[in-house]
Amino acid sequence: MMPPQLTKWKFYPMRIALLVLTLTCLSACGAVGFPGVYRIDVEQGNIVTPDMVEQLEPGMSKRQVRFILGTPLVEDPFNNNRWDYTYRRSNGLDILSENQLTVVFENDVLVEVRGDASEDRAGA
């Protein structure tokens, strides 16, 4: 005669309830965020100052513009005559500042600079 087997899952409903409660608490922490957690400022892109933009002159080559402003963040493969310099500073999901500068060329010569740091300097 075999000994009686113990029911292995005697508290099965309680385990499910505990698991559901744990998952609910963890998902609530993700949505609300942990209090007191420090979030650093994240800077992405090219920092372009007004002094840098003032150095740009119509007729400059792409090489000269790249020397002054640096490598553009976005070089459109379908439009080689446009470079976009973007900069974003954020803290978590909050965007603290965002700037964009667009440089336009014709025949590899600078013809237009427009955007936040340029104060809409068309033709220069």
Side-chain angles (χ1 to χ4, degrees):
M1 185 161 144
M2 294 186 65
Q5 290 186 349
L6 298 173
T7 56
K8 196 173 189 180
W9 303 101
K10 186 175 181 183
F11 299 106
Y12 186 68
M14 184 171 252
R15 288 184 182 184
I16 290 177
L18 184 63
L19 181 64
V20 168
L21 179 67
T22 303
L23 290 176
T24 303
C25 290
L26 286 176
S27 65
C29 288
V32 174
F34 292 104
V37 174
Y38 178 73
R39 295 182 186 211
I40 62 170
D41 290 346
V42 177
E43 297 182 12
Q44 295 177 315
N46 302 91
I47 297 175
V48 178
T49 63
D51 296 333
M52 296 166 74
V53 176
E54 287 177 10
Q55 294 178 19
L56 298 177
E57 298 174 3
M60 289 182 130
S61 68
K62 286 186 176 183
R63 185 174 178 210
Q64 291 171 323
V65 173
R66 190 181 301 259
F67 178 77
I68 293 171
L69 297 178
T71 304
L73 184 67
V74 180
E75 271 189 77
D76 189 358
F78 301 108
N79 186 0
N80 292 330
N81 295 324
R82 175 181 167 165
W83 291 352
D84 292 313
Y85 292 86
T86 58
Y87 171 75
R88 176 184 286 181
R89 187 169 153 235
S90 61
N91 187 322
L93 299 175
D94 301 329
I95 297 174
L96 302 176
S97 66
E98 189 171 25
N99 298 327
Q100 181 166 351
L101 181 77
T102 301
V103 180
V104 180
F105 299 94
E106 282 184 17
N107 299 324
D108 293 339
V109 174
L110 178 65
V111 292
E112 183 180 2
V113 177
R114 62 178 180 252
D116 299 332
S118 70
E119 301 166 359
D120 295 325
R121 292 176 38 179

